[in-house]
Amino acid sequence: MNAGRRDNDQPLLSVRNLAVTFQLRGQHAAKAVDDVSFDIRAGQHVGLVGESGSGKSVTSLAIMGLLPRRGVRVSGEVMFDGTNLLSKSRGEMSALRGRDISMVFQDPMTSLNPVIPIGIQVAEIIQRHFNASKSAALERTEELLARVGIPDPRRRLGEYPHQLSGGMRQRVLIAMALACEPRLLIADEPTTALDVTIQAQVLEVLKKLVADTDAALLMITHDLGIVAGLCDTVNVMYAGRVVESATRERLFAQPQHPYTGGLLESIPKLDSPRGAPLRPIPGSPTQVLPWSEGCAFAPRCGNRTEECTARTPDLDPAGDRHLRCFNPLSRTAAEARR
Amino acid sequence: MSINLPPISDVPAAETAVMPGEGPGGGLWRGAWRRLRRNPTAIMGAAIIAFFVLVAVFAPLLAPYEPGSAQWSGDVTPTTVPGPDDDHLLGLDRFGSDLYTQLLFGARQSLVYGVVSTAIGLSVGALLGVLAGGLGGWVDTAVMRAVDIMLSVPSLLLAVSIAAVLGQNAYSIMIAIGAAQVPIFARLLRGSMLAQGRTDYVLAANALGIRRRRIVMGHMLPNAIGPTIVQATLNLATAIIEVAALSFLGLGSSDPAVAEWGRMLVAAQDRFEAAPRLALLPGTAIAVTALGFTLFGEALREALDPRNRR
Ligand SMILES: Nc1ncnc2c1ncn2[C@@H]1O[C@H](COP(=O)(O)OP(=O)(O)OP(=O)(O)O)[C@@H](O)[C@H]1O
Ligand SMILES: [Mg+2]
């Protein structure tokens, strides 16, 4: 369906200066996403990482057009296949969701409707977007369930979510998201809610199906291990902005933003001595519009200089990557060597 | 298309496939029915309801006399009402009709009044609740303002006005009682629907492009309807008694001797000391009927949730 429409000059998805502000009546406006820009090319796997509250989920909901209309202000541009999704009507977005862009959510225990058999939940997506008959849709559902590794799929068609384990449910959700072979799949921490052993299996299923359908993938996670195993390029988010984006190899080999460096250092390494302390990033994300004066990461940053609190850095090209930092790690390293 | 599935148009119709339900939501009702059959509470409730329905249907065959005939009114004095004897199994009522006959025919009137008026209230209220809670926005605002206005009119006044417009007959009583119930159902269902709108599975269904109508009717409503169904069964008993209140005001049939439990209960008040059975028997009939509907409604609510496996 999507083969042959590859256009390598133009990214499939191009997010430009996306900002989301929550303005609830009688409350202060809260900026959840401040200035997010990144690209995804057809078939590419892109990671979006950052700690809790950095605005990853809000970014994905804004792309999908799933934020409530009331009390939320979205600005910027979300270009998909040459059109701006932010200016599409509700009906247009609904027709596009599930067919061209799909999403897998974090919690498989609550993301399936408890009163509808899983077979119907998958089949109705196929019926909706392909105008298929119910029996044809169910037939295809059965094959999809088999593909995501659900044993005895025909019997499972009529089962309810509570009859399935968490791992099984997440497989069903993956089958739902990829049922219509979308060109872009957004996965918002798809394995966080699962047991570690199940996580690896489900991730494998997701990887295989995404590869089989040639879908592009936006993987939202705070697990850098997942990024290392899956993504071509990585965007690191902090307090509602992208602070560094680079290919996986470059990012892991040489993180430049002090925040990225901190993220990488906070993962335990196999070759470090047992009992060696982990190195968490000190402090916690600040709340009030942290980018309005200086760099939002400055209060927690080891490389901070006066400039960092005086001016706000932009996301600029810096060699092999984009970076939002006045004093990147490599420079300090270079200066330290001198 | 690189999934190795046949394109959708080439998929043969699956004659042999085990279909998990008829229409959207069909699986739900089928499953509910299966769980209902295995639930002793449901069976007890259904048995009670069936008993009264049978009594109502076959009242003319079961009753020894004509209802509301008052043909023994000469035997009733200001201080005494003749009790049970060979001719009258449960004695006479205060108007001189056979009490047993009156109770049997009362099942007819009361069940019809209760069921029809609650059905009116439930269907109109549920429709408003689904619209308001399912669509939100200005629809919600408009519907809830209308409901607030209805609530601000006392239900008796509402009933009297409706009777004044529609005339003094059984329909106006049923419509009046039903109308008074509309706000209850509308608000209850709206609240549950709004809560459903915030669930993860509704967000997920939206994220996959499921149509708004299907989300509201197929995803939200089945999850939201439970408390409303239980409320309906509770309202049924109230409705039976409200019929009495309205006929007391002279809004129903003008004949005081007409066979109807609520009215019999009200009429028995001034003879309670002399003949308590005049109040106790119709009162018990109302209570047991209400119990039957309540048991059944509670079981139905449970059965509609597939997580309750029985
Ligand atoms: N509906 C909402 N109303 C107001 N504020 C919101 C709303 N949704 C999210 N936010 C705020 O937006 C910010 C970003 O939230 P978001 O869920 O995108 O974080 P996240 O990066 O996905 O974190 P996590 O890793 O915990 O999922 C948070 O500070 C949160 O409080
Ligand atoms: Mg999140």
Side-chain angles (χ1 to χ4, degrees):
Chain A
M1 202 163 307
N2 48 37
R5 283 220 294 193
R6 287 285 169 75
D7 182 351
N8 277 322
D9 304 280
Q10 193 188 23
L12 178 67
L13 180 84
S14 175
V15 179
R16 285 288 164 272
N17 309 108
L18 182 71
V20 180
T21 309
F22 291 98
Q23 173 73 75
L24 296 174
R25 226 181 281 166
Q27 284 177 26
H28 280 294
K31 223 169 199 178
V33 172
D34 202 0
D35 179 14
V36 166
S37 303
F38 62 89
D39 288 340
I40 301 179
R41 298 186 173 280
Q44 201 182 23
H45 299 180
V46 173
L48 187 61
V49 300
E51 64 200 337
S52 200
S54 54
K56 307 182 295 292
S57 297
V58 173
T59 301
S60 62
L61 293 177
I63 294 171
M64 298 286 289
L66 287 173
L67 289 169
R69 306 241 153 167
R70 273 192 193 180
V72 182
R73 210 170 56 243
V74 182
S75 63
E77 245 181 27
V78 177
M79 300 299 289
F80 180 79
D81 212 14
T83 56
N84 187 0
L85 296 187
L86 295 185
S87 59
K88 282 193 184 272
S89 73
R90 255 193 222 215
E92 286 171 326
M93 280 309 284
S94 166
L96 185 120
R97 286 196 291 258
R99 195 192 59 204
D100 293 316
I101 310 182
S102 268
M103 194 157 172
V104 177
F105 290 94
Q106 176 173 353
D107 193 348
M109 305 316 270
T110 57
S111 296
L112 285 167
N113 194 315
V115 305
I116 304 179
I118 58 160
I120 299 280
Q121 296 196 50
V122 183
E124 71 178 3
I125 299 162
I126 300 167
Q127 284 176 275
R128 155 73 161 117
H129 294 298
F130 287 169
N131 266 326
S133 72
K134 181 161 189 181
S135 56
L138 279 168
E139 185 89 337
R140 186 173 167 131
T141 298
E142 195 183 320
E143 292 177 65
L144 275 165
L145 293 185
R147 281 189 83 92
V148 294
I150 290 180
D152 197 2
R154 171 156 301 198
R155 188 171 56 78
R156 298 277 177 182
L157 285 179
E159 290 196 345
Y160 290 92
H162 72 264
Q163 293 168 286
L164 273 62
S165 68
M168 286 291 173
R169 293 188 205 191
Q170 196 60 302
R171 287 168 198 254
V172 173
L173 286 163
I174 292 171
M176 286 166 74
L178 292 172
C180 298
E181 304 189 16
R183 281 182 285 166
L184 173 63
L185 175 70
I186 301 179
D188 190 351
E189 309 198 25
T191 57
T192 313
L194 302 173
D195 284 350
V196 181
T197 45
I198 310 294
Q199 277 188 6
Q201 294 173 8
V202 168
L203 211 58
E204 211 46 51
V205 167
L206 181 74
K207 210 163 145 179
K208 186 168 171 309
L209 241 76
V210 165
D212 284 355
T213 56
D214 271 336
L217 175 68
L218 176 62
M219 175 60 97
I220 297 177
T221 177
H222 36 225
D223 185 342
L224 287 168
I226 291 179
V227 172
L230 201 62
C231 298
D232 307 317
T233 67
V234 188
N235 300 288
V236 181
M237 254 182 104
Y238 186 79
R241 291 192 183 190
V242 174
V243 293
E244 181 167 8
S245 76
T247 63
R248 171 190 56 182
E249 289 81 9
R250 296 309 305 146
L251 192 92
F252 278 87
Q254 199 172 49
Q256 294 270 16
H257 198 285
Y259 176 62
T260 316
L263 277 183
L264 289 174
E265 293 212 340
S266 62
I267 345 178
K269 294 193 184 58
L270 277 181
D271 53 5
S272 59
R274 263 177 74 185
L278 296 176
R279 295 179 48 195
I281 306 174
S284 62
T286 45
Q287 276 302 313
V288 281
L289 299 177
W291 291 100
S292 55
E293 38 200 275
C295 172
F297 188 61
R300 300 166 71 187
C301 183
N303 278 14
R304 175 185 61 229
T305 62
E306 262 176 34
E307 188 182 18
C308 299
T309 46
R311 290 198 301 129
T312 306
D314 291 324
L315 185 67
D316 290 325
D320 54 4
R321 68 191 73 202
H322 283 75
L323 190 63
R324 188 191 289 280
C325 185
F326 294 126
N327 303 297
L329 292 173
S330 58
R331 189 192 299 169
T332 347
E335 278 164 3
R337 242 178 276 126
R338 243 185 276 134
Chain B
M1 188 181 277
S2 44
I3 264 197
N4 294 328
L5 294 170
I8 211 75
S9 51
D10 294 348
V11 173
E15 268 96 14
T16 53
V18 188
M19 294 302 158
E22 290 309 317
L28 174 71
W29 290 100
R30 184 179 290 187
W33 172 238
R34 209 181 46 242
R35 286 182 290 274
L36 214 50
R37 275 192 330 224
R38 296 196 204 131
N39 185 347
T41 312
I43 292 171
M44 200 192 296
I48 294 174
I49 297 170
F51 171 76
F52 282 105
V53 168
L54 287 177
V55 166
V57 170
F58 294 109
L61 298 178
L62 297 170
Y65 305 105
E66 285 293 302
S69 60
Q71 63 194 100
W72 298 279
S73 52
D75 300 345
V76 180
T77 71
T79 47
T80 59
V81 180
D85 58 31
D86 287 348
D87 288 339
H88 304 290
L89 188 60
L90 299 174
L92 297 179
D93 73 4
R94 63 171 296 240
F95 302 108
S97 303
D98 179 56
L99 183 60
Y100 178 56
T101 304
Q102 294 292 87
L103 279 175
L104 292 179
F105 274 91
R108 250 181 188 201
Q109 300 279 340
S110 295
L111 276 185
V112 170
Y113 278 133
V115 170
V116 172
S117 59
T118 305
I120 292 172
L122 178 64
S123 45
V124 178
L127 182 71
L128 293 178
V130 166
L131 282 178
L135 299 181
W138 65 266
V139 181
D140 185 23
T141 314
V143 167
M144 288 331 282
R145 282 305 144 271
V147 165
D148 283 344
I149 292 171
M150 287 185 74
L151 267 185
S152 68
V153 180
S155 55
L156 270 182
L157 185 62
L158 186 69
V160 173
S161 331
I162 289 174
V165 173
L166 296 179
Q168 199 181 32
N169 55 40
Y171 299 114
S172 61
I173 286 214
M174 290 188 266
I175 291 174
I177 296 173
Q181 297 185 14
V182 165
I184 302 173
F185 291 119
R187 294 181 141 212
L188 189 63
L189 191 54
R190 169 187 179 262
S192 325
M193 290 294 280
L194 285 181
Q196 285 300 314
R198 290 187 287 268
T199 57
D200 284 355
Y201 48 83
V202 167
L203 179 66
N206 263 318
L208 294 166
I210 303 297
R211 284 179 209 276
R212 188 77 205 148
R213 184 165 22 115
R214 165 73 183 140
I215 290 181
V216 170
M217 300 307 291
H219 287 242
M220 293 164 68
L221 185 58
N223 282 290
I225 196 75
T228 310
I229 287 177
V230 173
Q231 183 65 45
T233 63
L234 297 176
N235 273 23
L236 229 135
T238 326
I240 291 177
I241 295 170
E242 272 172 16
V243 173
L246 288 189
S247 27
F248 201 61
L249 290 176
L251 288 177
S253 160
S254 47
D255 180 2
V258 77
E260 185 219 291
W261 295 338
R263 194 183 272 232
M264 290 162 75
L265 189 61
V266 173
Q269 279 174 8
D270 56 349
R271 301 299 176 98
F272 190 71
E273 303 229 330
R277 69 197 155 80
L278 292 186
L280 290 182
L281 290 173
T284 309
I286 293 176
V288 174
T289 310
L291 179 70
F293 278 106
T294 307
L295 289 177
F296 190 76
E298 183 60 36
L300 184 59
R301 186 188 61 75
E302 245 175 56
L304 281 174
D305 187 343
R307 282 162 297 190
N308 295 318
R309 283 197 279 173
R310 290 217 182 222

